[in-house]
Every structure is written in structure tokens, then in C-alpha cells.
Amino acid sequence: KKDVEYGQYNGLPRQDQAMQKWRENRFGQFIHWGLYAIPGGIWEGKTYPYASEFLRGSAKIATSTWDSLIYQFDIPKYNPKEWAAIAKNMGVKYVTITTKHHEGFCLWPSEYTDFDIENTPYKKDLLREFVDAYTAVGIDVNFYYSVLDWHHPDWRYDIKSDEDRAAFERLKQFTKNQLVELVTRYPEVKGLWFDGTWDNSWKKSGQFSYELEKLLKNKRPGLIVNSRMRADEHGSRHFDSNGILMGDYESGYERRLPNPTDKEVLTRDWECCMTIPENQWGYHKDWSISHVKSPLELIEMLVQCTSQNGNFLLNFGPMGNGDIRPEEREVAKEIGEWMKVNSEAIYGCGPADLEKQDWGYYTYNEKNGKVYMTVFNNPVLGKYKIRLPKSHTLKKASLITKQVESLEIKQISPTDYFIIPDKINNKKPFVIILEIVDRASGKFHQKALT
Ligand SMILES: C[C@@H]1N[C@@H](C(=O)NCc2ccccc2)[C@H](O)[C@@H]1O
């Protein structure tokens, strides 16, 4: 065991009200919006297929040229009330917006830099309008903040000299000032999503990030921070040098999910953040350059995350003029239609600790004791197999749509059952609600006491 002084300092998983709400939310909207949305991946007529928020680097644009994009950020179509309505209709319970991405441009009027919304033609505090619009429709608001700051002269990738050290001390003070400013100006904020913390300079700042987490949580009791914020004093990130998770939930699943049968992730809170194209967080004008995930692919990811105790954060990249692109409006509409019928299997749900079957995923709501089967694959066999511990029996199976009162069940062994499809419209993913009884207690399915 290594001696770790600046690692995890509160017990996990957190069971306070704020964290329980974060967990029950399950489905969130990520928003990447900044100066990068103006060129949208195209520079001097050339399309750069790399992630559009890195265009500055991929097109080798001088910082001064890039930074002058600020004078074009007039966002005539910005309509946070419409954004919030789209998000509400999609069925998200929380939103995480980039207050400052790696480019260093701040969406709020910060007193610690001029590279912010105040010095654009728009001038107004768009973050305040955003927070108010989403809060008004009951969506929890979180802030993404990139420690990595390409605009700030004191950013250092590593600390190799006294000059580096002095500069990075100024950068850390700037970072602390901006974060205190964010949680103070916008007290509605529920959580902070840190990014840009992979470089050696931050890995050498373990004590600083430990004390920063404590400071921010003192300023905003209940605040939730992701594991990506933290390194311990030995440079270990996300998990400290003894493998203990830091922050309040694990944020390593970026554009990837765990194996559907991975049981290790069930032991902690985690979140997967996902792009609709293969790899575009900021707005890119040309989505034909990569696979664009369908609403059904995205719904399956949401259900899988829920089945394994994770949250799913789906990314939108608003356009440079503040509008939401048609493809994203369509995704929000189709996911929303599915959620209107099936969200009972998502909100407040988590793992069912039942053996996963090929037809899809189990989720479980410990408040009502119901187990939900969300079916993505229709078995050629024609029947949906369920395997329970010997101590349990399957009492009832019904469609969440209540088209039929209950479905026919056939027990085929002490542990195995077939659910016989009848009048099931299985052209789209659908949900079957199971009532499982523990023979001994006569109660519904009980979560394993670990
Ligand atoms: C959540 C995502 N994290 C950012 C990211 O991938 N940064 C990695 C990166 C940072 C700097 C140069 C290349 C790649 C993306 O831009 C998104 O914000």
C-alpha cells in the first residue's frame, strides 16, 4: 500500500441527496460550444476531419488568428429557451455545458480574462441565460471546465524549470479564481466536469487539485466533481496510487462503453460521454466524413449504461450562429419519443444483478422492486430467455405499453424461463416489466446485499 495524503477524502459511493439525484437522472445532454463552432472544421476552404474543437491545431492556425474569431461570435440564433425545450423533449434530466474549452474562450463574463463573452458582439452573459432556461424546465445544470488552456500564457505542459513553475503557479491561481467565480455567480450549478488534466503539469499538482476540490465543495455544498479533476500527489489520475477512485464518479468512458458483462463497473458511479458522429464534440459543418450514430444506437448505449450503474451524457455541438443543427434536432426528437414510452426503465434505475441475456439489458428500480427487460435483439428462437437464481421465481411479465395485460411465461428448468412473445411490436426496442419474487421472503427481486 502506498502512502497517499491527497487522494479520495469522502466515502464513496456518496449517498447524499445531491448524488442520489445525479444517479437517478441517468441521462444527460453534453453541450460543446465555443469559437470552434464558427469555422466548424473548415479553414480556408479545406475540410479537416479531426475533431472540430481542435481545428486550431489541425489547421496550424496562429493563436492571434484563432483568437480573433471572438469578433465573429454574435450568435444571432442563440435561443437558450429553445435549447432547453429540445433537451426536455429528448428526456434528459441534466446538462453539462463547456464554460471554457481548451481554446480558453469563456462563455461567461469572467473578471480574470478578457477572452470571454463580454468581448464579443453578443456581449451578454449567455451562461446566465442558459442556466436560467434549463433550470426553468427542471433540468440540472453542470459546468464543463478545461484546465488545459491554449490561450493563457502561463499554461505549461510540464514543469521543467523555475520559470515553468512560476508560470504554472499563476495558471493554477487563475484556474482557482475562475472556478470559485463560476460556483459563486451560478449557485444553481450541481456539478463540475473537469477536462484537460492529462498533462504532467497537472499530474504534478495533486495537492492543489485535492485542496481545490475541498474549497469548491465548501463554497457549494453537495457539489459533484468527476474523477478527471484529480491526480494524487504521486501523479496517479482518476484512481489514486492505491486504486481508490477520486472525485465523486468515474469519468473515463469517453466515446466508449464498458463490456456489457463487466461487473467491476457496477461497484461505483460512472458516466459515459458520447458523440453522435464518430469523433466531433464541437460543431463540424460536414458530418459525412464519419459514421453518425442513429437514435437507436444511442438509445442502446443509454440502456446499457443504466444496466451497469452508469450515466449517459450525449453530446450536442451548437452552430456558430447559436442554432441547433437539423440532424441533432432529429436525434433529440426520436430519442424523446422512445423515452416518452420507456423512461420508467431508465430514470431511478440501475443494475438488476441478473445474468445478461442476448436479447438486451436488465435494469432495476429498487423503489418499486420492478425489473425491466429492454429488448434490442429478437431471438431467432422466438422466445426471450430469463435465468434467475434458484431462490427466485418469475411471477409476471407485462409490456410497459400495456398492450396486453401479461405475457405467457414457460418455466423450462429450476432457473430458466421463456417469455413467449405475443402481440409484441418488436420493430423498435421495447420494454417488458418483470415481477420476480424471492420464494423465501415473498418480496420482489431484492438487490444483492453486498
Ligand atoms: C470530452 C472531450 N475531451 C476533449 C479531448 O478529447 N481532449 C483530448 C485532446 C486534447 C488536446 C489535443 C488532442 C486531444 C474533447 O475535445 C471533448 O471536450
Side-chain angles (χ1 to χ4, degrees):
K1 237 166 104 56
K2 264 192 111 167
D3 178 25
V4 175
E5 194 177 343
Y6 301 110
Q8 176 54 265
Y9 72 89
N10 48 252
L12 292 186
R14 276 176 49 177
Q15 296 301 352
D16 57 285
Q17 190 49 47
M19 195 70 205
Q20 284 184 27
K21 177 66 167 60
W22 181 91
R23 192 174 294 131
E24 288 166 9
N25 284 346
R26 284 300 177 221
F27 188 23
Q29 179 189 40
F30 215 166
I31 290 186
H32 276 71
W33 200 31
L35 301 180
Y36 43 77
I38 296 171
I42 297 180
W43 196 259
E44 292 170 346
K46 188 171 183 308
T47 298
Y48 291 80
Y50 199 57
S52 72
E53 67 278 8
F54 298 120
L55 180 65
R56 202 195 75 136
S58 35
K60 297 185 178 50
I61 301 163
T63 302
S64 55
T65 306
W66 183 265
D67 290 359
S68 61
L69 287 168
I70 195 169
Y71 303 114
Q72 297 176 52
F73 203 73
D74 54 354
I75 55 175
K77 294 267 189 171
Y78 178 49
N79 183 345
K81 288 194 177 72
E82 190 198 22
W83 289 18
I86 290 170
K88 188 73 180 176
N89 186 48
M90 175 161 66
V92 297
K93 293 281 189 185
Y94 69 104
V95 65
T96 301
I97 182 167
T98 52
T99 60
K100 184 186 82 163
H101 201 260
H102 309 332
E103 65 179 3
F105 173 65
C106 300
L107 297 191
W108 82 99
S110 174
E111 64 180 274
Y112 302 101
T113 178
D114 293 335
F115 195 46
D116 66 10
I117 191 66
E118 226 169 355
N119 297 293
T120 67
Y122 188 73
K123 289 189 177 34
K124 290 177 291 178
D125 180 353
L126 73 81
L127 190 61
R128 169 44 62 200
E129 296 168 316
F130 177 91
V131 171
D132 290 348
Y134 274 76
T135 304
V137 297
I139 295 177
D140 292 341
V141 177
N142 301 283
F143 290 157
Y144 165 111
Y145 181 89
S146 175
V147 172
L148 169 59
D149 187 324
W150 294 328
H151 173 84
H152 199 292
D154 289 330
W155 172 260
R156 294 292 182 281
Y157 289 97
D158 201 349
I159 311 297
K160 290 236 186 298
S161 67
D162 288 345
E163 199 282 331
D164 287 343
R165 201 177 326 286
F168 205 66
E169 281 309 311
R170 291 192 296 271
L171 189 281
K172 290 191 298 189
Q173 187 56 42
F174 165 77
T175 300
K176 179 160 74 169
N177 289 339
Q178 286 209 313
L179 287 159
V180 169
E181 183 177 47
L182 281 169
V183 301
T184 311
R185 278 180 67 92
Y186 311 95
E188 303 92 329
V189 69
K190 299 289 183 300
L192 296 174
W193 207 102
F194 287 80
D195 200 11
T197 55
W198 40 78
D199 290 308
N200 283 342
S201 48
W202 191 258
K203 284 163 74 171
K204 292 173 177 173
S205 304
Q207 178 177 349
F208 177 78
S209 67
Y210 174 88
E211 288 165 355
L212 180 59
E213 177 180 348
K214 282 199 155 204
L215 170 69
L216 294 168
K217 286 182 169 179
N218 286 336
K219 293 252 175 223
R220 263 292 283 108
L223 189 71
I224 294 165
V225 302
N226 65 338
S227 58
R228 206 178 291 204
M229 169 186 194
R230 301 276 284 102
D232 71 4
E233 68 267 37
H234 309 292
S236 182
R237 295 182 62 231
H238 291 272
F239 295 86
D240 74 14
S241 305
N242 293 318
I244 310 289
L245 182 67
M246 295 182 281
D248 300 304
Y249 65 92
E250 202 267 317
S251 60
Y253 289 101
E254 179 171 321
R255 293 192 294 112
R256 65 187 177 94
L257 281 98
N259 248 321
T261 51
D262 179 331
K263 291 220 176 284
E264 206 255 337
V265 290
L266 305 190
T267 61
R268 56 178 169 262
D269 290 308
W270 57 277
E271 179 193 69
C272 163
C273 57
M274 188 56 68
T275 51
I276 297 177
E278 196 277 325
N279 182 12
Q280 295 295 339
W281 296 94
Y283 173 74
H284 195 293
K285 282 178 182 149
D286 183 357
W287 267 16
S288 71
I289 54 180
S290 87
H291 173 64
V292 176
K293 299 173 192 78
S294 69
L296 291 188
E297 284 176 77
L298 298 166
I299 289 166
E300 178 162 5
M301 293 178 181
L302 166 62
V303 176
Q304 181 188 334
C305 286
T306 304
S307 77
Q308 292 179 275
N309 202 39
N311 282 11
F312 186 61
L313 186 64
L314 179 59
N315 184 69
F316 282 57
M319 301 167 70
N321 64 4
D323 205 357
I324 302 290
R325 69 194 305 151
E327 301 94 324
E328 289 179 350
R329 289 171 181 269
E330 184 57 26
V331 162
K333 179 171 166 291
E334 293 191 33
I335 292 179
E337 283 161 5
W338 191 85
M339 286 295 276
K340 270 184 186 51
V341 174
N342 302 292
S343 63
E344 184 186 333
I346 303 293
Y347 300 143
C349 291
D353 61 41
L354 293 174
E355 188 179 312
K356 181 171 179 333
Q357 303 296 330
D358 293 339
W359 41 258
Y361 309 86
Y362 290 111
T363 56
Y364 172 61
N365 185 324
E366 56 189 20
K367 289 201 176 114
N368 64 18
K370 290 181 182 175
V371 175
Y372 302 88
M373 282 173 58
T374 304
V375 176
F376 288 92
N377 310 308
N378 286 313
V380 172
L381 174 71
K383 301 167 177 86
Y384 302 96
K385 192 171 100 179
I386 311 280
R387 173 163 293 166
L388 301 180
K390 275 207 183 63
S391 56
H392 287 62
T393 59
L394 177 54
K395 216 172 130 226
K396 185 178 176 189
S398 55
L399 289 174
I400 203 167
T401 54
K402 302 199 181 0
Q403 276 156 315
V404 288
E405 171 45 27
S406 65
L407 297 171
E408 188 190 343
I409 298 170
K410 236 180 169 152
Q411 183 161 6
I412 58 173
S413 85
T415 58
D416 292 7
Y417 302 75
F418 277 149
I419 291 179
I420 319 292
D422 166 22
K423 297 193 187 58
I424 288 180
N425 153 23
N426 48 12
K427 290 287 168 289
K428 290 255 178 169
F430 65 95
V431 173
I432 295 173
I433 299 179
L434 303 179
E435 285 174 22
I436 296 169
V437 177
D438 177 339
R439 252 195 284 277
S441 70
K443 291 205 187 86
F444 287 152
H445 175 77
Q446 301 294 318
K447 240 167 117 68
L449 299 171
T450 48

